[in-house]
Amino acid sequence: MSVALLVPMGLLALAGLLIPLLIHLIRRPEQDISDFAALRWLRESVRPKRRLRFDDLWLLLTRLVLVSLAALLIAMPIFRGDWRTAHHVIVADGGIDLAAARMQVGEIEADWRWLAPGFPSIEEAAPTIAQPVSSLLRELDSTLAREDRLTVLVPAQVAGLDAQRIALVHAVDWQEVAAKAQTSATDQGPTTRTIAVRHGPEPISGDRYLRAAVEVWSSLSPDQWQIDDQPLGIPLPAKTEGLIWLDAAFPGSIKSWVEKGGRVLVVDGKVGQGEPVWRDEQSEILASEERLGRGAVVHLQSPLSPRSLPVLLDADFPRRLQELILPATRPSDRAFSREVEPSVVERALADRDTSLIPLIGLLLALVFLLERVLATHRKVA
């Protein structure tokens, strides 16, 4: 017989709360009956009213808590899943070839799920966006029973990793599976990055050096860069990644664009504002970055002349300017699967962190001791 059949009986254990209630209702303090002569003149039809009353309320509450803790302690194996047959759970990254995975694993009757929030069945559509693999694996590991088996199917490169090494309680069968076919970069066409330049009616000093640096990017990789050089009133292209503002101050529309995540370079000489991001060999600040919402304003030293800013003539200036304008790249969340295979936490440490049985047992002993003290005090009184 499966232990799962005991689940309804475990719930019935809470019905034991009625026992202390019934005992306190039925039990009455012992009373000696004394006859009084005056009582013989009272009519028998007049009887005192009886009210529902619980004596020794603290003792009653203590016994109710005692029965509740005992029921919870008995049901803990059911809550932890230790009562059922061990499951084999297989989770697959959305980037693998599912047909190849089924042939490689071969165990079709296992519990196949996608490595995605909620761990949907493999019969549903595969997730189309990158998933937080590390946090999902930790979440799944915490929900599995002690004897469950876990197999994780990942492509050669795993995305969605965080800075912390994956450490799980369950030993993982970490298998690398062929990735599903994707359209090659050649078929998709080159990826272009848009840099906007906005200028006023009057040129600012040294703007030709900035334009020349941008032209270097475009000449070296014409398929990668799209330069949108327009007057101030022209709106920015939809997917502008960086902006060079060649005017005294930018308007509210540009400020709003920056606050949403844009990045603008201005030549205003306010290099003392924000955090320094570029220094020369003498540690003089050449550019600083000021955070504005989710974006940033990069202040470049002015005037832009070789005498005051010799780095304008350096061959490395176009690259340094590119680093200032483009958004800072995030740390990579990808790694080869063989390098991020989860490690196993010691079972004793995991049980000590997650099991509530010792705590419930201690509370049960303390409440039982309190119940005995209250019961003895009642009898003595």
Side-chain angles (χ1 to χ4, degrees), residues 38-55:
L39 294 178
R40 61 193 296 261
W41 302 106
L42 296 178
R43 291 180 298 173
E44 294 184 0
S45 59
V46 180
R47 295 181 179 274
K49 295 181 179 180
R50 300 183 61 183
R51 293 184 304 173
L52 183 63
R53 186 182 65 181
F54 293 102
D55 296 324

Side-chain angles (χ1 to χ4, degrees), residues 12 33 48 74 83 109 113 116 120 143 169 197-198 215 217 226-227 331-332 334 338 379:
L12 287 177
I33 300 177
I74 294 173
W83 53 271
E109 299 301 325
R113 298 190 174 275
T143 61
V169 174
V197 180
R198 292 293 180 267
E215 290 297 331
W217 308 346
Q226 179 180 347
I227 311 302
S332 176
R334 292 178 175 268
R338 60 179 178 272
K379 290 179 180 179

Side-chain angles (χ1 to χ4, degrees), residues 37-93:
L39 294 178
R40 61 193 296 261
W41 302 106
L42 296 178
R43 291 180 298 173
E44 294 184 0
S45 59
V46 180
R47 295 181 179 274
K49 295 181 179 180
R50 300 183 61 183
R51 293 184 304 173
L52 183 63
R53 186 182 65 181
F54 293 102
D55 296 324
D56 301 318
L57 183 59
W58 285 110
L59 179 60
L60 172 62
L61 294 177
T62 303
R63 287 174 174 171
L64 292 176
V65 173
L66 186 64
V67 175
S68 301
L69 289 175
L72 182 61
L73 185 62
I74 294 173
M76 279 303 295
I78 296 176
F79 294 152
R80 291 171 58 86
D82 296 341
W83 53 271
R84 59 173 172 79
T85 306
H87 287 178
H88 184 192
V89 180
I90 301 176
V91 289
D93 187 279

Side-chain angles (χ1 to χ4, degrees), residues 200-272:
E202 298 295 333
I204 68 170
S205 174
D207 64 340
R208 65 182 184 275
Y209 294 102
L210 299 181
R211 295 177 186 274
V214 174
E215 290 297 331
V216 170
W217 308 346
S218 182
S219 61
L220 293 178
S221 303
D223 295 333
Q224 184 178 358
W225 299 101
Q226 179 180 347
I227 311 302
D228 185 68
D229 193 342
Q230 302 285 349
L232 296 181
I234 304 301
L236 301 179
K239 296 184 178 181
T240 300
E241 292 194 45
L243 169 63
I244 300 177
W245 188 261
L246 300 178
D247 198 48
F250 50 82
S253 59
I254 299 299
K255 181 180 179 181
S256 177
W257 175 79
V258 174
E259 290 175 342
K260 295 178 181 178
R263 195 173 178 87
V264 58
L265 181 140
V266 293
V267 185
D268 56 6
K270 299 179 180 179
V271 293

